[in-house]
Amino acid sequence: MYTQALNTRDLQPVQKEDPERLARFQAKIDAEQKIEPNDWMPEAYRRTLIRQIAQHAHSEIVGMLPEGNWITRAPSLRRKATLLAKVQDEAGHGLYLYAAAETLGVSREELVDQLLAGTAKYSSIFNYPTLTWADIGAIGWLVDGAAIMNQVPLQRCSYGPYARAMVRICKEESFHQRQGYEIMLTLCRGTLEQKAMAQDALDRFWWPALMMFGPSDKDSVHTAQAMAWKIKRFTNDELRQKFVDATVPQAHYLGLTIPDPDLRFNEATGHWEFGEIDWQEFQEVLRGNGPCNRQRMKQRRQAHTEGAWVREAAAAYAEKRKARAAAA
Ligand code: FAQ
């Protein structure tokens, strides 16, 4: 039904809404009341949410791949059990988010089809490889850390089902961040070689983690409207700055160096100033030309094909239960 809604370039023109209705809707948002699935909402609001929630859900699902890569090679049973649980949590997040998107009138199947067809976006960060065990630490620390920074405000999103899905997701992401940081701490307190691995992981993941927050405010097409609708509570640059301010001292505690020669603390503002992000690299990753885009999509498609029997079995079971209930 809303299959055209995921990419800005594909959006069909939205019909003009009744101004009075629109004003009542905005007043409700301004009064911090939640919008629920059965409430009236402008078509553009619905489409924006489907786009953002779907991209978010896809990110959680594709995000399982870089870490899943290390489950069989985790250095101990404890590390393996923790990583396995974390990757399963990400699958759960994807499912809550697809369910939240479904309340807006789009089916999970449609959204998954768009991901597999390559017409939907997912977070750029998951197109980078996990080359060493330290990358698992860096992902938990930096990627989950960035995700939390972005997602805590989403708990106050104006759309009820998305806001509520975020509550549990944020709790789990906080645990993920801690486990990642603890991996980094263990490596940094280990041998020189282990510390060098941790530094190398930070070197490779730092800039892509900053890109997770999206284009700079001057280039962000959706932020202004999303803020007015209280879907987003902070701009991309505001969240990126909060992340840098929180993370730099954590890196110092580990004894690691942030790979940015322009990084400096501004006493007057109380913020860490950082260098220019390579936006060309960001755009290339979005265009499908990151180091692992093709590999990620290939793996997702393969997993989907190989999982067909599970979906068929679940559907057959549901049919059988329905028939039994009807006969009773
Ligand atoms: N990667 O105008 P804006 C996680 C796109 S979850 C790819 O600024 P908006 C958990 C954007 O979609 C990580 N595309 O857009 C985990 C738009 O494209 P469109 C995901 C990006 O929506 C941890 C265009 O650029 N989190 O990590 C990216 O206002 C560890 C213009 O951008 C969420 O999705 C990017 N980095 O702001 C899992 C949180 N940035 O649709 C496993 C919810 C921007 O016009 C392991 N999402 N784009 O074709 C959001 O907060 C927002 O959607 C933003 C983008 C901030 C991502």
Side-chain angles (χ1 to χ4, degrees):
M1 183 174 10
Y2 293 106
T3 39
Q4 303 298 311
L6 284 179
N7 293 295
T8 325
R9 59 185 177 279
D10 295 334
L11 281 180
Q12 302 299 314
V14 176
Q15 279 184 352
K16 234 179 148 31
E17 309 277 8
D18 170 14
E20 274 179 30
R21 237 178 169 186
L22 268 181
R24 278 200 300 276
F25 174 80
Q26 190 61 49
K28 200 168 166 183
I29 288 192
D30 294 344
E32 296 291 337
Q33 288 173 20
K34 291 280 179 250
I35 306 299
E36 297 298 339
N38 291 333
D39 294 342
W40 182 84
M41 63 186 84
E43 186 56 21
Y45 176 83
R46 183 194 303 274
R47 288 183 182 192
T48 294
L49 279 166
I50 291 176
R51 180 188 63 78
Q52 178 168 327
I53 300 172
Q55 287 174 1
H56 193 166
H58 299 327
S59 304
E60 301 281 358
I61 298 298
V62 179
M64 295 163 74
L65 294 171
E67 289 176 290
N69 191 26
W70 278 88
I71 290 173
T72 55
R73 291 178 288 161
S76 69
L77 185 60
R78 182 172 81 90
R79 293 292 187 199
K80 189 181 181 120
T82 312
L83 182 58
L84 197 59
K86 178 188 190 295
V87 172
Q88 284 176 342
D89 285 350
E90 308 301 356
H93 299 173
L95 298 186
Y96 312 145
L97 289 164
Y98 284 128
E102 284 190 309
T103 65
L104 291 154
V106 64
S107 73
R108 194 205 305 181
E109 288 73 18
E110 271 176 88
L111 297 177
V112 171
D113 283 352
Q114 287 165 353
L115 173 67
L116 299 178
T119 57
K121 285 194 173 76
Y122 58 87
S123 182
S124 50
I125 190 74
F126 302 117
N127 293 304
Y128 291 85
T130 42
L131 303 178
T132 72
W133 171 252
D135 291 6
I136 301 305
I139 289 183
W141 172 35
L142 301 175
V143 176
D144 287 276
I148 297 167
M149 202 53 91
N150 171 281
Q151 290 168 196
V152 164
L154 288 175
Q155 294 177 107
R156 292 189 293 119
C157 161
S158 58
Y159 188 58
Y162 192 26
R164 289 188 289 272
M166 274 309 129
V167 174
R168 179 164 172 180
I169 292 180
C170 284
K171 288 203 170 91
E172 292 177 349
E173 300 291 27
S174 298
F175 161 72
H176 297 167
Q177 196 269 354
R178 290 295 176 95
Q179 70 83 40
Y181 193 72
E182 199 256 339
I183 292 175
M184 295 300 271
L185 197 57
T186 306
L187 291 171
C188 291
R189 288 178 175 166
T191 62
L192 285 177
E193 205 181 350
Q194 285 173 314
K195 189 162 181 193
M197 264 171 64
Q199 180 65 56
D200 173 60
L202 171 59
D203 290 349
R204 284 180 290 106
F205 276 93
W206 175 252
W207 291 105
L210 296 193
M211 293 175 196
M212 285 177 72
F213 294 94
S216 66
D217 292 352
K218 66 178 172 35
D219 296 321
S220 167
V221 281
H222 301 297
T223 296
Q225 183 60 75
M227 300 269 289
W229 279 329
K230 297 190 195 284
I231 294 173
K232 284 166 90 160
R233 296 286 181 153
F234 295 96
T235 70
N236 299 354
D237 285 337
E238 284 168 350
L239 289 173
R240 195 170 4 249
Q241 184 65 57
K242 276 173 182 275
F243 174 75
V244 172
D245 289 342
T247 311
V248 171
Q250 294 170 358
H252 291 165
Y253 185 75
L254 292 172
L256 297 179
T257 307
I258 302 273
D260 178 356
D262 296 324
L263 190 75
R264 59 181 53 84
F265 189 67
N266 183 327
E267 294 283 349
T269 62
H271 293 298
W272 285 92
E273 291 174 353
F274 53 97
E276 185 62 22
I277 291 172
D278 184 347
W279 292 115
Q280 200 174 335
E281 175 181 322
F282 175 70
Q283 290 303 336
E284 275 307 307
V285 176
L286 260 59
R287 271 194 281 271
N289 299 324
C292 297
N293 294 59
R294 286 170 190 81
Q295 181 189 331
R296 299 289 185 242
M297 289 312 299
K298 190 172 160 216
Q299 283 181 331
R300 266 320 310 153
R301 288 187 188 115
Q302 188 182 340
H304 191 75
T305 308
E306 288 174 0
W309 70 270
V310 181
R311 292 189 297 279
E312 282 159 20
Y317 178 69
E319 266 312 306
K320 208 166 157 188
R321 275 179 66 116
K322 217 161 96 189
R324 262 205 219 127

